[in-house]
Every structure is written in structure tokens, then in C-alpha cells.
Amino acid sequence: MNRKLFFTAWLLAMAATGWAQGPNDSGTYYQAADGKKGAALKTALCGVIYNRNEGGDLNTAYKALWTHFRTTDAKPNGKVWDMYSNKVEFEFGTNQDSGSGNQEGQYYNREHSMPNSWFGGKVMPMYTDLHHMYPTDKVVNNKRGNNPFGETANPSWKSANDFSKLGPCTFEGYTGTVFEPNDEYKGDFARTYFYMVTCYEEQIPTWYTSFSESQPTLDGNKYPGLSEWQLKMLMKWAKNDPVSEKEINRNNAVYGIQNNRNPFIDYPGLEEYIWGDKKDVAFSYDNYATSIQDILTTGLQKGKQSDTTIFGPNGQLRRTYQRGLNIIKQKNHRARKVIRR
């Protein structure tokens, strides 16, 4: 089935019937967070998602990432799904970092999307947490360094095809050097950071005081966890780049490996219930209300055409969505007629 139509079908199912117990076969996984709001919801989710299978000691778990990436980050054609560079399509194993190479497109390595220097380096479980570990081009990864995510209008460096950028931040609230990923993955990284500051909220005060490089991104508190400018930017990124089929598949794959999930992928727009306009609305894990129309409208306004996203040009999927709703209405009407008989 076409990737975009597959995800549209998922949206239709969600809109028509809600989730029977939890999205993406999560069952009662999130039940402990039911009824919570705002900061309390964030803390409850921390209690749910923190427990995980660490996969052995640090060295064993870190080495295993090479193998895990074959499950979590493979494109449909079997190549490495790199979110930092689009210069080449890496082959698993063949182009794995060998400790050499100085040109973009030679090797991929293991990227801590939240730099490990922000939490003390080789510290478990953060150091090997697959929810924020991605295979990325080695040179682009090194260029990013320990800089925060941000937006730059005057980049000092750009990866091949202007895919990623490095330069002074032009998003209001920060002027230091930032790394700007490509638009099609900004939502992915936003939801990754929402996961990190939720899963590890107890550690944020220590990270902030002990590791100064984290301070542009974190605020030193369990809640909200993110600095004001960073939170505002990531909320925008998440809205402009909605949850994709890629993220859902990856979330399920990571769960199969380390037995915990990213709730911001399972529940599109969940960040609004913690930090945004819905923070006074109680969360319901099995009857979650999200505005499908808002998600569709956002994507269609962007006219996104990437294979990693759910929206096609010219309103094609919106029409598919509407046809699906009409079919559901017809079936419901026929069912009511049968019941009346």
C-alpha cells in the first residue's frame, strides 16, 4: 500500500473509532497517566516511560545500536535513514563509521540528538536510549557538535544540498550557534526532545547546573524542562511537521527492543496537554481527543511531498480523508437501519 495512503487510513481509523485502549497496540501502557493535566501529566508519563530494558552494560548496549538501527532506521529500500544529510544513501554495515573519513557521504555514526555532554557523557540509560539515538552522517554530526537545535537565517555552514545548517540562531530568545535540521524532520526532533525532558525530568536540574552546554535548551526545572525560546520553537516544529508513518514505525520498533515508548508519537499533539493550550484539559489514554482536521490542515498548507510525511500536494489526501468519512457515515447509517429492524 502507498505509504501516504497507509497513514491516511490510520488517521481515518483514529477519527472514526478512537483507540481501543491505546494507540498503536499500546493497550493499557499509558493508563497511569489517565486524567492528569499539565505538569502532573508530564510526571505521570515519566513514571510510565522511564522503565526500560537497557540491553546490558553500557558498552554492550552502545555497541548493539549498530544492529538496532537496522530495525529502527531502515528506509523502505533497506538503506540507512539519515535525518542530517541526503547526499548519499548509506548501506548498513558497509558505510558504518570505521574511525576514519572526513567528507560528507562517507560514513554514518551514532548520534545523540540530545548531546551526551549535556547529561555527563557515558551515563546510562541516556547514553544508549534509542528514542534519541539516530544514525547520521559522520561529518554532519561532527559539525553539529554539542550545539542546540535552532533556526538560522545566516548559516556559516550547510550540508550537501543545503539539507542541514549551522550558524547563529535567529529564533527569538537566543543568539548563539545552533544546528538547524531539515524542515521534514523538525517535528521528529521536537518530539524526541519532548520525550527526553519527560522521561528524564528528575535529572534536568542536575544537568542544568552541572553541564553548562545544556543551559540554552533546558531551564533547570522538572517543569517545563525546556527553556522558553526552545519550547516555543519546538512546539512550532511539532505543529508544522506532524507525526509521520516513519515515526510510528520507529516508535514501535524501539518499543520492541527496549520496552518503552515515546508518547508524543503515540498521541499526536500531546505536547499541547503538557505545555500548550490544552494543559488544563485532562488526558485520556484510551479516548484521546486530537483535532484531525488541524493536523490535516497544517500538512496541506505546507504542501509536503516527502515520502516521510503523510500529506500530498493539491489536497489529494484531504479528499481521501473525506471520502473515508463518508464511507464510515454510510456504514453507520446502514448499521442503524439493521438495528431498527
Side-chain angles (χ1 to χ4, degrees):
M1 179 186 292
N2 181 280
R3 288 167 52 78
K4 296 174 183 176
L5 292 180
F6 173 87
F7 195 71
T8 302
W10 175 84
L11 282 175
L12 288 171
M14 180 172 65
T17 63
W19 284 304
Q21 295 201 323
N24 305 318
D25 297 321
S26 59
T28 58
Y29 180 77
Y30 295 107
Q31 189 172 31
D34 201 53
K36 302 297 193 300
K37 306 175 184 178
L41 172 57
K42 182 173 179 287
T43 297
L45 288 170
C46 172
V48 172
I49 67 178
Y50 185 82
N51 294 321
R52 46 161 287 198
N53 176 12
E54 297 183 14
D57 61 33
L58 185 145
N59 290 331
T60 300
Y62 190 59
K63 183 178 180 180
L65 292 173
W66 294 122
T67 300
H68 295 330
F69 285 157
R70 296 171 183 257
T71 301
T72 60
D73 293 274
K75 290 183 175 182
N77 63 4
K79 303 296 181 63
V80 176
W81 208 319
D82 180 0
M83 297 197 292
Y84 276 9
S85 172
N86 70 348
K87 183 173 183 178
V88 302
E89 288 195 313
F90 292 123
E91 298 276 358
F92 283 105
T94 302
N95 301 117
Q96 182 175 305
D97 184 13
S98 62
S100 61
N102 56 10
Q103 296 180 12
E104 184 177 352
Q106 287 182 299
Y107 299 104
Y108 69 94
N109 61 7
R110 296 163 290 189
E111 162 69 329
H112 295 86
S113 62
M114 181 169 282
N116 66 79
S117 64
W118 296 6
F119 52 76
K122 296 182 178 181
V123 181
M124 294 285 274
M126 295 80 68
Y127 191 72
T128 59
D129 190 336
L130 265 167
H131 282 294
H132 86 119
M133 298 293 301
Y134 298 101
T136 62
D137 185 284
K138 180 180 180 179
V139 167
V140 181
N141 185 355
N142 289 340
K143 280 288 185 180
R144 190 251 166 130
N146 300 327
N147 293 299
F149 285 132
E151 297 179 4
T152 179
N154 304 295
S156 57
W157 179 87
K158 295 185 287 188
S159 68
N161 306 310
D162 298 346
F163 196 74
S164 300
K165 306 171 186 177
L166 185 76
C169 186
T170 49
F171 191 92
E172 185 179 2
Y174 187 66
T175 58
T177 301
V178 295
F179 180 81
E180 181 174 358
N182 193 269
D183 287 348
E184 69 177 300
Y185 296 123
K186 285 178 176 175
D188 302 55
F189 289 121
R191 285 176 282 275
T192 296
Y193 271 37
F194 295 154
Y195 164 87
M196 290 296 287
V197 298
T198 298
C199 186
Y200 302 110
E201 70 169 20
E202 294 285 347
Q203 290 96 320
I204 289 176
T206 299
W207 295 354
Y208 186 85
T209 57
S210 301
F211 311 108
S212 60
E213 290 176 344
S214 72
Q215 292 176 1
T217 297
L218 306 178
D219 73 343
N221 301 301
K222 290 170 56 178
Y223 182 86
L226 291 162
S227 63
E228 184 177 358
W229 78 271
Q230 181 81 178
L231 178 58
K232 184 177 180 180
M233 183 190 72
L234 293 179
M235 294 286 279
K236 184 188 80 169
W237 285 9
K239 184 175 182 179
N240 289 347
D241 177 31
V243 175
S244 65
E245 181 188 350
K246 170 194 185 298
E247 293 176 80
I248 292 174
N249 291 341
R250 188 179 200 277
N251 193 27
N252 289 335
V254 173
Y255 178 67
I257 294 167
Q258 64 181 42
N259 297 326
N260 76 332
R261 307 184 66 85
N262 183 339
F264 299 94
I265 295 172
D266 283 329
Y267 295 96
L270 177 62
E271 59 274 8
E272 295 292 340
Y273 287 77
I274 296 177
W275 297 286
D277 294 338
K278 297 181 180 180
K279 61 185 177 183
D280 293 324
V281 178
F283 168 75
S284 175
Y285 86 97
D286 62 347
N287 189 27
Y288 179 71
T290 188
S291 175
I292 302 303
Q293 190 59 50
D294 285 349
I295 295 174
L296 285 170
T297 300
T298 299
L300 290 168
Q301 286 173 345
K302 292 183 68 180
K304 298 174 70 172
Q305 301 180 46
S306 166
D307 283 342
T308 68
T309 57
I310 62 175
F311 302 104
N314 305 320
Q316 176 184 356
L317 293 190
R318 185 174 189 143
R319 291 194 296 272
T320 302
Y321 171 76
Q322 190 58 54
R323 285 198 299 271
L325 290 183
N326 290 337
I327 292 170
I328 291 168
K329 289 177 182 177
Q330 292 169 8
K331 288 184 177 179
N332 287 343
H333 178 69
R334 289 195 295 269
R336 285 194 296 269
K337 289 178 66 176
V338 170
I339 291 173
R340 283 198 295 270
R341 290 175 185 169

